[in-house]
Every structure is written in C-alpha cells, then in structure tokens.
Amino acid sequence: MPLTVGSCGTLRELAKLPSCKDGDVFRVTGSDFTDDDETLARDGKPGARLVIDDLGTKAHWTVPEDARTVPSRRAPNGNHLGGIFATPSTVDVRDLTNGMVSTQIQLDPDVPDAAEYVRNTAYRLDPTMNVSAFRSVAFNDEYEAIRRGLFSAAALTMTLIAASLLVSQIEQLRDRRRLLSILVAYGTRRSTLAWSVLWQTAIPVALGMVVAVGGGLALGTLMLRMVGDPVTDWLAFLPLAGVGLAAIAAVTLLSLPPLYRLMRPEGLRTE
C-alpha cells in the first residue's frame, strides 16, 4: 500500500482535503490502481499497524485513529493516487531512505528557458534525477470565440422560438375570446386561466430542452471518449437552459395582458 509523505500544500495537489495541518493523516480512495483501494480497505483502517519495509529494514507504523478518508484528485501527471497520505510530523522519514522523493516547482512562464535552468540544476545535484514538465491547459482565443458564437446563435434561436410561441399564443387567445369570457362568467378563476397559458408554453419548451440536453450530453460524451478525454464539465448546458426558462417566462408574461383583456364581459357580445 503506497505511503505518501508531504506538506499540506503538496498533499492538496493529490487529494481533496477539507482541511490540513501538520500532524494529519488521510486515507485516500479513488486511485487509478484498483489494488491500492483494495489494500487500503483491508489493511489501512484506522488503528491498523503497518510495516514499512525499506531494503530489508522494517519499521512499524500505526495508522492514527483520527485518520480521515478523502477522495483522490488528478495529480499534475494526470494520475489519481491513493493509499495513506501523511504529513511530515507523523512519519519518521529516516525510515524511508529508499522511498521515491518528488519535488514540485512552479515556474514563471514569462521567464525564458526557465525549465532548462531547472534541468541543469537537477543534473548538478544528481545526474540520475528524472525531471518531468507539466503544463496547464489554456483556452485558445479562437475556440473561445467559437464557443461564444455558438451560444449566441443558440440563444438567438431560442428567442425566435419564443417570439413564434408568443404570436401563436395570442392568436389562440383571440380565437377563444368568447370561450374565455364564458369561463370567467361561470366563475373560473383568472389565475387558473393564466396558469394554463404558462403550461401551454412551458411543456413544449421543457420537452424540447430535455431532448436537446440529453442528446447533446450523449454526443459530447461519445466524442470525448473517442479522443480519450474525460468529461470535465457536466453542467455546461445550464446557461442555455436558463435561456429556455427565460423564454418561457417572457412568453407567459407577455401573454397575460391580452388574456386579461379577452376575459372581460364584452367578449360575450355577438353581432
């Protein structure tokens, strides 16, 4: 079972820690290696006594009773690590002389050849030292412009649909002018008729949004799996769903004034 010793800042890069101070120990689940989680569940329970075997030198170490279980997070190298995570004061690092030492250095991207300076320094310290470079993903301005354009086009389409629904709604109300006046004369509440207008608009738009969101998520997930990337934002559809809700509210509110006018007793008159 892996034992990782590091400062709180380092451990936060590897696991989702609610809080951390020197002296804390964490049981980290969600490793990319299934054996790690199985070993942790079997041998890494709070109070368990572990044996640290370092080139034949065995040292005993007990998992503290207050060790908290936390989920792993993606490390800078792209992997999810698990096992026991401990801060320096909880483990005597002298018992880990054969352990793998990893140091993370954050470089200033504006400094030219900064990575080369780190490699040269590492070579002077130890020629066998392995140096890996990780870079954060930055959004390309062109792709961001395409994303904004697609959202604007989708929002415009929703606006046109809302305008079409409004025109259709008002025409239907005018055709039912006499019926609406009769319903009001028989004691039907005006609020009931107003709610009916809301549902006539909300149901088709909501069904369309459900189909669009479901199809979009399925297609997006399939495309990401084809290129080997995970889904990082399952809620990307929320802004467009908000546009749909705004369209429903706008059509309903704009339909209410004609509705109340058509419910007047004058609607019972006939030529």
Side-chain angles (χ1 to χ4, degrees), residues 26-243:
F26 304 93
R27 302 173 66 251
V28 182
T29 60
S31 171
D32 289 338
F33 308 96
T34 55
D35 292 345
D36 291 347
D37 285 351
E38 294 176 357
T39 305
L40 180 66
R42 183 180 65 250
D43 302 330
K45 298 178 180 180
R49 189 170 176 82
L50 305 180
V51 177
I52 301 175
D53 190 350
D54 185 67
L55 292 179
T57 302
K58 296 183 178 181
H60 295 278
W61 183 76
T62 302
V63 181
E65 294 289 347
D66 59 352
R68 289 175 287 176
T69 301
V70 297
S72 177
R73 67 180 302 176
R74 188 180 298 276
N77 62 0
N79 296 327
H80 289 83
L81 304 180
I84 300 294
F85 284 16
T87 48
S89 64
T90 60
V91 179
D92 190 350
V93 294
R94 290 175 297 181
D95 296 329
L96 306 175
T97 55
N98 195 42
M100 183 179 66
V101 179
S102 175
T103 303
Q104 298 180 13
I105 302 175
Q106 187 172 3
L107 305 180
D108 187 350
D110 295 331
V111 177
D113 299 327
E116 295 302 323
Y117 294 147
V118 173
R119 292 189 179 93
N120 293 338
T121 302
Y123 181 81
R124 286 196 295 268
L125 293 175
D126 185 356
T128 63
M129 185 180 298
N130 182 28
V131 179
S132 301
F134 303 100
R135 295 178 176 85
S136 60
V137 178
F139 286 100
N140 188 293
D141 293 338
E142 295 181 359
Y143 287 106
E144 188 65 20
I146 294 174
R147 181 179 180 181
R148 289 195 298 266
L150 289 174
F151 176 79
S152 301
L156 179 59
T157 303
M158 292 293 297
T159 303
L160 295 176
I161 293 174
S164 176
L165 286 173
L166 178 61
V167 173
S168 176
Q169 190 74 265
I170 294 176
E171 290 180 352
Q172 291 180 13
L173 292 177
R174 288 177 177 175
D175 293 339
R176 300 171 184 173
R177 177 177 181 178
R178 184 176 177 81
L179 177 59
L180 292 172
S181 299
I182 293 174
L183 290 174
V184 173
Y186 275 98
T188 303
R189 294 181 179 180
R190 294 173 180 265
S191 60
T192 301
L193 297 177
W195 277 106
S196 70
V197 173
L198 171 63
W199 290 118
Q200 289 177 28
T201 306
I203 291 177
V205 174
L207 290 177
M209 291 296 295
V210 169
V211 173
V213 169
L217 289 178
L219 180 60
T221 303
L222 178 61
M223 293 180 66
L224 287 174
R225 287 184 177 179
M226 290 176 62
V227 299
D229 287 339
V231 179
T232 58
D233 187 4
W234 287 98
L235 303 179
F237 65 89
L238 286 182
L240 193 57
V243 174

